[in-house]
Amino acid sequence: MGKYVVTNGQNLYDVALHIYGSIEGVVDLMMNNADLSFSDDLKTGDELIYTDDFIINADVVAYNRLHGIIPSNGERPVYPKYFTLPLTITFGLLPSLTSVDFTASGNGKIEIDWGDNSPVETIFLDRKPTMHTHIFDNEIAEGRIIRWFTNASFVFMDWSGLQASSIRLLHPLRVEELKIKDRAISIDFLHLAEGLYDADLGGLATNDLSPLVTCRELMRLDLTDAKLKTSVVDSFLMQLVAVYGLRRNCEITFSIHPSGIYREPERDENGRYRIRSGMEAVWVIVHEPAWNESGAWKFIIENEIYTVEK
């Protein structure tokens, strides 16, 4: 006699199809497992006895083995899902992920659709950062979408463990401290971030830092080990100068050196700076008296500090 171990999401007919190549194999399963009934919900790890070398459709069995297919069409009892809050955030994930996590603190609650067969998860936020983990209960061939329904105000958020390949904000989101480490991702969603004063984007790989220019309350930006082109860094720094407006002074850390030399740029006939490099933009920012009046800008570039000279 053989012993079969049930895997995630399988029902009785899945097991029969896997062993015998036909759902008619349930008869053999019922004969060999006296306590088994058609109404039973199989669980991962359950063990079933079956008759060795009894195959109904050898072609189906061979095809499944050749392609590594394990039939898994378990019931999906949780749809439709209902929510009481607005859809605010979506995360795109690769289909290969089996579990994810995030850490958050703040005020309010989140209703989460994990994009699998699990019911809606409701999380009530606290002032203390808390990690939340989810293990997906199904496998998919294409990308998975996680949906957050919330109107909460976040004090701290770490999305690194979600391993998202894309993030979209559908409504403004208040988050004071945000961490997304070691991700290759667009940060366009930051256009709708409100109140952000601390952003840890270490190891980020992206083609555009301009959304950070709109974060006027930002006081700390960590781009340590970020995989950025020099042109991307230069563009960000030049935009900071061009649309400075009303914003807080900030400490910015780069592991990549902007182009050019740290020096005062040339001026045009109207006395305006002609900034031609990222390092000239850094010089202007730390030497503009009005921009450093209430607090000094500080750039840490390859462990070298550029700030207001005392």
Side-chain angles (χ1 to χ4, degrees), residues 228-236 256-260 278:
L228 305 169
K229 294 181 179 179
T230 302
S231 59
V232 172
V233 175
D234 286 350
S235 176
F236 166 62
I256 183 172
H257 204 286
S259 69

Side-chain angles (χ1 to χ4, degrees), residues 2 10 28 59 90-91 95 97 107 120 126 130 159 166 178 183 190 217-218 242 270 306:
Q10 286 190 307
D28 184 68
D59 289 340
T90 65
F91 303 91
L97 292 174
N107 299 295
V120 176
D126 190 82
T130 303
W159 281 335
S166 67
L178 177 64
R183 301 308 304 155
L190 289 178
E217 297 178 272
L218 200 61
N270 296 312
Y306 302 84

Side-chain angles (χ1 to χ4, degrees), residues 13-265:
Y13 298 102
D14 293 326
V15 175
L17 190 61
H18 198 203
I19 297 174
Y20 311 100
S22 170
I23 61 173
E24 295 175 4
V26 296
V27 176
D28 184 68
L29 289 174
M30 301 293 287
M31 292 176 61
N32 286 300
N33 299 272
D35 297 331
L36 190 64
S37 72
F38 288 106
S39 61
D40 286 346
D41 290 328
L42 301 182
K43 299 180 180 60
T44 302
D46 285 351
E47 296 182 351
L48 300 177
I49 303 300
Y50 65 93
T51 302
D52 279 332
D53 299 324
F54 174 47
I55 296 176
I56 299 173
N57 191 326
D59 289 340
V60 172
V61 173
Y63 183 88
N64 287 340
R65 288 177 180 172
L66 179 63
H67 294 87
I69 297 174
I70 299 177
S72 178
N73 298 285
E75 296 181 8
R76 294 172 169 84
V78 299
Y79 290 100
K81 299 181 181 181
Y82 299 100
F83 305 90
T84 64
L85 298 171
L87 175 60
T88 302
I89 316 169
T90 65
F91 303 91
L93 273 64
L94 295 176
S96 57
L97 292 174
T98 58
S99 66
V100 293
D101 63 74
F102 70 92
T103 300
S105 68
N107 299 295
K109 69 176 181 178
I110 318 169
E111 296 171 341
I112 303 178
D113 175 5
W114 286 106
D116 58 9
N117 300 323
S118 63
V120 176
E121 180 176 4
T122 300
I123 294 174
F124 292 90
L125 298 171
D126 190 82
R127 296 292 295 182
K128 179 181 178 181
T130 303
M131 177 181 284
H132 304 273
T133 301
H134 183 79
I135 300 174
F136 297 112
D137 67 2
N138 70 345
E139 296 180 357
I140 57 175
E142 299 180 355
R144 192 186 304 275
I145 300 295
I146 298 175
R147 301 185 297 162
W148 282 21
F149 296 77
T150 184
N151 54 11
S153 176
F154 296 93
V155 175
F156 174 79
M157 181 70 72
D158 186 350
W159 281 335
S160 308
L162 286 177
Q163 305 176 66
S165 55
S166 67
I167 301 175
R168 292 180 59 209
L169 288 187
L170 306 179
H171 299 285
L173 180 75
R174 183 166 186 83
V175 53
E176 297 177 8
E177 298 179 57
L178 177 64
K179 179 183 289 189
I180 306 176
K181 303 277 285 185
D182 302 316
R183 301 308 304 155
I185 193 170
S186 167
I187 58 172
D188 283 348
F189 66 92
L190 289 178
H191 284 299
L192 288 176
E194 297 181 344
L196 182 63
Y197 73 85
D198 190 319
D200 185 352
L201 305 178
L204 173 72
T206 190
N207 293 322
D208 186 12
L209 292 176
S210 64
L212 288 165
V213 177
T214 65
C215 301
R216 296 182 178 274
E217 297 178 272
L218 200 61
M219 297 188 70
R220 178 180 174 272
L221 171 60
D222 191 344
L223 289 163
T224 301
D225 296 327
K227 300 167 183 64
L228 305 169
K229 294 181 179 179
T230 302
S231 59
V232 172
V233 175
D234 286 350
S235 176
F236 166 62
L237 293 170
M238 292 178 183
Q239 287 182 69
L240 273 179
V241 176
V243 294
Y244 190 88
L246 296 175
R247 69 176 67 241
R248 289 178 167 179
N249 58 290
C250 186
E251 177 184 304
I252 302 179
T253 302
F254 287 120
S255 293
I256 183 172
H257 204 286
S259 69
I261 301 172
Y262 181 68
R263 65 185 178 187
E264 181 177 4

